[in-house]
Amino acid sequence: MGPEHVAYGMRASYGLPYVTQDLVVAWEREIASPDNSELTALAGVLWCSPSELLGKPRTLREHRLARGLAPEDVARAVGHELVAYLRMEENDDWQGNDRQSAALAGILGLTVPDLLTVTGRDTALAELLRSAVTTRWQAYVRPVGKMVPLDRRLLEDALQQLHQNYQGQMTATLSWGGGGSESSAAGREFLERIVEYFWATIGGATA
């Protein structure tokens, strides 16, 4: 189907008279994003579910849409006023407390990594992990544990392994004769992807 066919289907079958070919093209190019009703209509025209159009959800709104929930459903479940919840979605800025975050994870089926991303705590986690692998990892077991509700022994093993991997990589790069520039580049790449490596390490330990 071309953009003009999609636009016509949304106008004719879903009562969205303003949807034009140009708007559909803007969605395709990620210049604009469809709202809730538009996404539902778009999925209907394309004979798929909204979650299939979203790919892997990352934001609060994308997770809600992937579950096919209305904003009212989530706001009620987490104990927020609808207006306040919609503002959080719009700004991608979750403001719930621990109890509300747990309720959010429950209704949206969020994994621990997803919950940290949606609530904006993955940036803080990354900072802790970078400090752990570049200094003494033992000092960061408790701070990371407060943020990530996992078994302490599992966290200790993961932080120790990350520390060894980072330090070993830096040492190996220097021993190859590459000099400080190659070592710095390898170290920066490791630190930039530290959260990804952390979850991979946790997953490997629990598999």
Side-chain angles (χ1 to χ4, degrees):
M1 297 177 67
E4 67 278 9
H5 302 114
V6 174
Y8 174 79
M10 294 179 69
R11 292 195 302 268
S13 300
Y14 292 90
L16 300 176
Y18 58 87
V19 176
T20 63
Q21 174 181 341
D22 289 341
L23 180 57
V24 174
V25 170
W27 293 338
E28 291 178 346
R29 295 178 178 174
E30 298 184 358
I31 298 172
S33 299
D35 63 21
N36 298 340
S37 60
E38 291 165 349
L39 184 66
T40 300
L42 182 61
V45 170
L46 297 176
W47 292 84
C48 65
S49 67
S51 61
E52 291 178 86
L53 296 177
L54 291 170
K56 178 175 174 53
R58 289 189 56 82
T59 66
L60 182 57
R61 176 175 178 268
E62 288 174 354
H63 278 285
R64 176 179 62 75
L65 291 174
R67 286 273 166 172
L69 297 169
E72 294 84 354
D73 298 329
V74 180
R76 187 182 309 110
V78 301
H80 271 305
E81 294 292 331
L82 177 59
V83 173
Y85 173 76
L86 287 173
R87 189 179 303 116
M88 293 178 208
E89 273 199 4
E90 180 180 350
N91 298 327
D92 198 19
D93 181 25
W94 172 249
Q95 296 292 325
N97 56 31
D98 289 344
R99 180 189 61 78
Q100 291 169 322
S101 295
L104 182 73
I107 191 169
L108 296 182
L110 301 175
T111 64
V112 174
D114 287 339
L115 180 61
L116 288 179
T117 298
V118 164
T119 57
R121 289 181 287 174
D122 51 352
T123 300
L125 176 62
E127 293 176 359
L128 289 176
L129 294 175
R130 291 184 187 115
S131 297
V133 300
T134 55
T135 58
R136 293 182 65 255
W137 64 266
Q138 295 90 339
Y140 292 89
V141 174
R142 184 184 295 273
V144 173
K146 288 182 178 180
M147 188 173 296
V148 182
L150 295 172
D151 179 75
R152 180 183 175 88
R153 183 61 185 171
L154 181 62
L155 285 177
E156 290 175 347
D157 291 344
L159 292 181
Q160 183 178 21
Q161 184 174 332
L162 286 173
H163 183 273
Q164 291 174 346
N165 290 348
Y166 175 75
Q167 299 296 332
Q169 185 180 50
M170 297 293 285
T171 302
T173 305
L174 289 172
S175 69
W176 293 335
S181 60
E182 288 189 20
S183 176
S184 297
R188 283 196 301 271
E189 182 182 2
F190 188 93
L191 294 178
E192 287 173 0
R193 300 176 60 188
I194 191 66
V195 175
E196 176 186 338
Y197 290 137
F198 173 72
W199 292 120
T201 302
I202 293 292
T206 58

